[in-house]
Amino acid sequence: MSSVALPEIKSMLTLPGDAVRQIQWRFADRFDLQMLVQSARGVARGTVARLVAAGERNTHEWTPAKDEMLNAFDRAGITAAFMEPEEGGFIIGPKNLALGLAAFELAWVDGGAATASLAGFLALSPIHERGTQEQVTRYKTLAAPPQPGEDRKPWRGAFALTEPIPYIGVDTGMLSGKIRIAEWKKGKEPVLQIDKRGRFITGIASENFVTAAVNSDDARIQGSCVVILEDGDEGTFDRGTATKKLVHQLSSTGDPVFNLKVPASRIVGGYTVKDGVIVPNFNHSEIIDAVFRRTRVPVGLMTAAKMLSAVEPVIRYQRQRFRGAEGAKPGSVRYEQGIQQREDALHRLVDVWAAGEAAASLGFAAARLFDALDPIEKQKTAILKERGIRGGRAEMKALKESEQRAIELLQLNEPQQKPGPEVSARRNELLADPLVHYVLADAEANVLCPATKLWNTGHGANIMREAVSLMGGYGITEDCPGFLANKWMDAQLEATYEGPEAVQRRQLTVTMTSEVFLTQFRMWTREMRHIASDHPGTGACTLASAMSLWGWTLNFLQRSIDPAGNKLYHGQRQGVTFPLADALSWLMASRCQILDVLELEARGAGDAVAGEGLAGTVQFLSDLCHTQAAQAAGEVSRICAELVFGYNRHPQWEEQEHRSCFLASELEELEETMPGITAMAVDVLAADGSHPQKAGPCAGCTGSGEFLRLQSKLTTCLTGSRLAKDRAAETVSKVMIPEALDYPAAGPA
Ligand SMILES: Cc1cc2nc3c(=O)[nH]c(=O)nc-3n(C[C@H](O)[C@H](O)[C@H](O)COP(=O)(O)OP(=O)(O)OC[C@H]3O[C@@H](n4cnc5c(N)ncnc54)[C@H](O)[C@@H]3O)c2cc1C
């Protein structure tokens, strides 16, 4: 028997530690963020884990212990992570990555705890994004934890958009909350009457202020806005009953009722008076768009943390499963490996791990992108303001030219672009344009944010079911190490609140077809091909082929109609647009995962801690990339094939034609082995009337040739992906884990 010498593969010895993560998720040079991670982890695996173990999730009531958890967040610096240094914070500059990291650490143990901290930020976000300077200073300072020597309780906040049925939920247009003028004395600030009922409002049990979306019910107020309500305002501030949640019980949720008088200065972002009418500077849609595009990213990261947090408890369970049984002596395979002797158990855990890596990479990439976007967005607003343009359609129109310039810049960076002084002068000119930078980052963020929320939480919920199943019966008990069943259910809420999956798909339907994004996407596809040539083990080749197939399919569907003559790619046609949005999200997650491993490989050696055993870690994480890329490619291939072929109708005559076309292609293949068969068959078919004049593709198959070529390329690019999975499984069966989980599983605190 001959054997082939395979290159030596390094194995990962221990679970990826902080040093590895800091490089992958790009905060190795951010000491402030590293400290935040450590302190959030301390609260999560200490205070929060003890609350869960003590059964605090068994009641949806707000208890003193849960309230104390908020104080623990304050002490640990988690609350202050949202604030500027002058408001009582400690992080300078944009904070999207910071908030994402804190949410990730808290959700590693409990999603409700993470939500309790995020709800306060969500309440402040409308003020932070669009508030007047006075509003920003007042509420962020009040919400900041007390500074040393100060004796005050920080204000808590809630964000009230969702209303009782039949008013707003997914559709945020039909507000029933009302704003009227209660009193407007000449020369004085108007007093407003606010009537708002909320449904499922987080943080409601302990909040001191609420940012609420309301619609005008008064001819003297234009449109809608967001107003700030305080618990000391005149009127009714009723927190309502607690929602009987099955999930996230460490945060409070309820259906409040507000009937209050507030000064007009509480309109978020201020207002002007035109012809005796109050015109809010921002309507509620403008504000919630600015808020959600950022706050949805940490939610996606929460589900990523759940998936990754499942790995260690499952490995421990699998390995220890048969210890103590008769015949299972230390050193024996049964004793040491337990269920990990079984391939399927390992492969499924590899899938959980790979999805968790991809979700984290996607979410952190989105968070970093918003950190980069924040200052550019401010610059854009200032430039447009100078030109007398503010918000809405006027802004979109003004940025059209910048979009063309951005596309031109991307094209100038193409490899086929011949270098020359004119090209580099033009490139430098475009590079110096802040609006070009803005539209590029904005187009990317408009896809990465909904993709993170959609894929991480939706696919993440499915993956958590897998993780639970790997624990057997233990998985669906309260005692399950790592609280996996809680996390499974919690993931479903993360897929729902701040806009369920339909909202993210709807957004992607629009943003993924922007010309700027599609130019970037083509560039990324080429980038993946390039990566594939020197890092084939990452699955970049598979991914590049899947990206090409997706791009081709989108283009095809945008130009195609169904048999009734209706456009296939259309906002109302969710059967087409939504699956394509899903497919894109798979691609984005896989791409980010690969890029993070390349970053680790490039920089890991320069870090004393990450450098140790780097080759093995990179090999393992690359194998996870390959496994994930293969899954993404499979999803994309399935979805695209269904959409390209599924809208062809086969009525009688078409069926006939299609049959002939199908037979013709079959015959072509047979011709190779049985020369002359085609001529014979054509005669037969002509005799029974089913063959057209000449063999060739029918209408249904026209254009599909290119699709099939791309799809078959994708299929062959799967080469090696199962070998990668086998290798990853082998590592999972050997990697060292700590003796015990570093937070309590069950029982009294
Ligand atoms: C625990 C919890 C905490 C929450 N916290 C807050 C909070 O702090 N503040 C706040 O304002 N809200 C909060 N919410 C509300 C949450 O954001 C909404 O539940 C969510 O946006 C969905 O609205 P809905 O429940 O009314 O669903 P609906 O609008 O009734 O939608 C139900 C389903 O119908 C389908 N659907 C609806 N519209 C469309 C469409 N256009 N296209 C395709 N499919 C569609 C989708 O499948 C969707 O999931 C919270 C909810 C929960 C459960």
Side-chain angles (χ1 to χ4, degrees), residues 380-399 435:
K380 176 255 334 181
T381 309
I383 293 171
L384 294 185
K385 194 173 165 198
E386 226 168 70
R387 295 183 192 167
I389 300 162
R390 195 198 70 79
R393 283 183 184 282
E395 179 172 317
M396 271 166 67
K397 220 170 126 192
L399 289 175
L435 292 183

Side-chain angles (χ1 to χ4, degrees), residues 105-353:
E105 285 301 328
L106 292 174
W108 187 274
V109 176
D110 186 79
T115 295
S117 110
L118 289 178
F121 305 148
L122 184 62
L124 285 169
S125 286
I127 302 170
H128 174 75
E129 295 299 335
R130 294 290 181 264
T132 62
Q133 191 50 54
E134 294 75 36
Q135 290 167 344
V136 172
T137 307
R138 173 175 169 77
Y139 293 97
K140 287 180 80 182
T141 313
L142 283 169
Q147 300 290 308
E150 257 189 315
D151 180 23
R152 65 174 172 85
K153 211 172 161 2
W155 274 30
R156 312 281 180 214
F159 172 72
L161 172 65
T162 311
E163 298 172 341
I165 289 171
Y167 299 103
I168 65 176
V170 163
D171 190 338
T172 53
M174 301 178 299
L175 276 168
S176 85
K178 295 288 180 259
I179 176 171
R180 283 182 286 272
I181 291 172
E183 190 183 296
W184 194 347
K185 287 193 182 142
K186 204 157 188 267
K188 295 263 188 222
E189 185 178 40
V191 177
L192 307 171
Q193 171 66 43
I194 308 294
D195 288 299
K196 170 87 182 178
R197 290 174 61 203
R199 182 170 60 114
F200 301 151
I201 305 305
T202 304
I204 200 70
S206 51
E207 93 292 349
N208 305 98
F209 72 98
V210 175
T211 36
V214 286
N215 212 3
S216 169
D217 189 30
D218 192 316
R220 291 168 296 166
I221 304 174
Q222 184 181 296
S224 66
C225 63
V226 173
V227 283
I228 309 166
L229 312 174
E230 296 183 6
D231 57 358
D233 288 331
E234 182 191 336
T236 308
F237 190 102
D238 181 352
R239 296 187 158 82
T241 49
T243 307
K244 295 192 172 71
K245 282 180 297 186
L246 294 168
V247 293
H248 279 215
Q249 293 92 340
L250 294 192
S251 66
S252 76
T253 311
D255 297 357
V257 180
F258 306 110
N259 183 274
L260 297 163
K261 284 194 172 54
V262 302
S265 60
R266 297 281 188 78
I267 295 176
V268 172
Y271 62 94
T272 52
V273 177
K274 272 193 201 133
D275 305 325
V277 173
I278 293 179
V279 183
N281 288 336
F282 300 100
N283 66 37
H284 86 287
S285 296
E286 285 172 297
I287 294 179
I288 61 178
D289 284 352
V291 167
F292 280 149
R293 73 190 303 225
R294 287 170 174 81
T295 58
R296 282 171 177 157
V297 173
V299 179
L301 280 167
M302 283 165 55
T303 324
K306 291 176 161 58
M307 291 184 259
L308 290 177
S309 77
V311 169
E312 189 192 316
V314 172
I315 292 180
R316 187 173 296 106
Y317 177 79
Q318 291 178 333
R319 292 208 189 139
Q320 295 179 350
R321 178 68 179 82
F322 304 133
R323 287 190 189 168
E326 238 177 87
K329 299 273 177 290
S332 70
V333 176
R334 191 168 163 78
Y335 182 95
E336 298 298 340
Q337 291 193 357
I339 297 175
Q340 293 208 330
Q341 295 167 88
R342 306 292 165 221
E343 183 170 273
D344 182 66
L346 288 171
H347 276 192
R348 282 179 194 276
L349 183 53
V350 167
D351 285 338
V352 172
W353 198 335

Side-chain angles (χ1 to χ4, degrees), residues 16 230 288 453 462 493 588 628:
E230 296 183 6
I288 61 178
K453 177 72 165 60
N462 297 342
L493 173 59
M588 294 295 93
Q628 188 60 34

